[in-house]
């Protein structure tokens, strides 16, 4: 049983309930998004508790059957959650673009791509330093060297780093160098990693496992929030279906479904869903039209030579097309969210 206190309730009042009505039970007290929650860990005499608690003036809501997730739901918090990274807000009025190569390959590669992106108003630079590759023979990433490259170049250009943590051992390094920590699709149900992400002081972008349901996706997000980190961005990146002409199938329905269920911001990665660069622009447009708070795309200065995911990486020219289409189209797609984040050119 979960007891959600009214907003603004003081700890003294919570302690009073704990020491009187709930004195017989083991209770866990947590506080998220400005609300205090009591989890009653034992089985309870429901009728008695409900009657007593409903009569108090400080209880907002009681959830009888413990659901796999509730902190991330709109039932718990109806207003959208905004996540700030420096002066950028994710989940706010303007859709966010996170862009960069699949992997950090070399200093000059990141510098070239980052300059290009920055000149097009992009502030969130992605790139994997630790790569979760399906094959052990594929490029595994530059690890700490890669993190340092991202950090230095992002600092030089006034950008922010989005990069993946693949295990708990290296999590601390990623946390030190990143501004947003990515948990990849293959790790969506790596519960020790999710718990570690919950203790992180930086926002997390959690990608949907390609064989996971939306319920499992939200349960994974709940782990992170429950363990202490309220700043989670969800990322739909395609799921496995019987269709073989795309790498995965972008689940567009997941966007409005998630928007109904959760207050967390949602971004979409059309690159991994498509697996093929010619499909990325229409999928990105569809994602924004369906209500996504942002997109994450792979871009490379020489995609055919990329060490990872070159086939799905946009060329610079294609990225320019994508951006101009999003800038011109987005305000007509979305009544309230107007594309206003275009920054002056970087020189
Ligand atoms: C990535 O973003 O490069 C990546 C590996 O994505 P996913 O975990 O969605 O496959
Ligand atoms: Mn990739």
């Amino acid at each position: 049983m979960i007891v959600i206190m009214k907003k603004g309730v003081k700890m003294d009042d919570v302690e009073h309930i704990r020491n009187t009505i709930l004195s017989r039970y083991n209770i866990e007290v947590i506080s998220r998004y400005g609300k205090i929650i009591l989890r009653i860990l034992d089985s309870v005499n429901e009728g008695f508790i409900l009657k007593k608690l409903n009569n108090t003036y400080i209880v907002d809501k009681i959830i009888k059957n413990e659901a796999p997730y509730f902190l991330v739901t709109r039932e718990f918090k109806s207003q959208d959650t905004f996540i700030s990274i420096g002066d950028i807000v994710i989940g706010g009025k303007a859709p966010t673009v996170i862009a960069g190569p699949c992997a950090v390959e070399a200093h000059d590669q990141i510098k070239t791509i980052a300059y290009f992106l920055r000149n097009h108003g992009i502030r969130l630079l992605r790139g994997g330093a630790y790569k979760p590759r399906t094959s052990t023979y594929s490029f595994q990433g530059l690890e700490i060297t890669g993190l340092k490259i991202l950090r230095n170049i992002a600092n030089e250009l006034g950008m922010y780093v989005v990069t993946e943590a693949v295990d708990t051992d290296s999590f601390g390094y990623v946390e030190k160098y990143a501004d947003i920590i990515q948990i990849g699709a293959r790790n969506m149900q790596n519960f020790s990693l999710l718990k570690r992400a919950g203790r992180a002081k930086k926002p997390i972008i959690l990608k949907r496992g390609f064989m996971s349901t939306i319920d499992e996706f939200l349960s994974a997000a709940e782990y992170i929030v429950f363990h202490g980190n309220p700043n989670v961005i969800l990322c739909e990146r395609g799921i496995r279906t019987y269709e073989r002409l795309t790498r995965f199938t972008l689940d567009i329905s997941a966007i409005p479904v998630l928007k109904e269920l959760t207050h967390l911001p949602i971004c979409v990665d059309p690159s991994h869903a498509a697996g093929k660069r010619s499909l990325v622009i229409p999928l990105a447009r569809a994602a924004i039209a369906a209500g996504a708070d942002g997109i994450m795309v792979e871009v490379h200065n020489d995609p055919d030579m990329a060490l990872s995911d070159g086939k799905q990486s946009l060329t610079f020219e294609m990225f320019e097309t994508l951006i101009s289409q999003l800038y011109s189209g987005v305000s007509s797609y979305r009544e309230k969210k107007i594309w206003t984040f275009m920054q002056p050119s970087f020189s």
Side-chain angles (χ1 to χ4, degrees), residues 102 126 131-132 164 182 184-186 207 237 269 272 298:
C102 179
R126 65 146 285 150
K131 292 305 304 174
E164 180 162 354
Q182 177 172 320
R186 288 157 192 80
K207 299 188 85 174
R237 47 78 71 211
D269 167 357
H272 289 85
E298 288 184 339

Side-chain angles (χ1 to χ4, degrees), residues 218-230:
L218 288 175
S219 303
E222 182 89 2
Y223 257 89
I224 302 171
V225 177
F226 175 76
H227 284 277
N229 190 345

Side-chain angles (χ1 to χ4, degrees), residues 2-65:
I2 292 157
V3 184
I4 304 169
M5 297 299 170
K6 284 194 176 137
K7 222 172 173 156
V9 157
K10 298 200 178 55
M11 242 341 164
D12 283 354
D13 296 320
V14 175
E15 282 307 315
H16 178 68
I17 285 198
R18 213 179 157 171
N19 295 329
T20 53
I21 304 170
L22 301 177
S23 63
R24 277 191 279 154
Y25 303 107
N26 285 307
I27 307 283
E28 179 175 57
V29 182
I30 42 181
S31 167
R32 292 290 176 279
Y33 305 110
K35 289 191 192 178
I36 299 172
I37 306 119
L38 301 184
R39 276 183 74 224
I40 306 175
L41 303 175
D42 311 301
S43 53
V44 295
N45 178 338
E46 241 176 50
F48 170 80
I49 298 267
L50 281 177
K51 190 161 164 249
K52 290 277 185 191
L53 287 181
N54 277 331
N55 283 339
T56 69
Y57 57 98
I58 62 169
V59 170
D60 180 26
K61 214 178 269 178
I62 299 173
I63 302 176
K64 281 196 265 177
N65 298 318

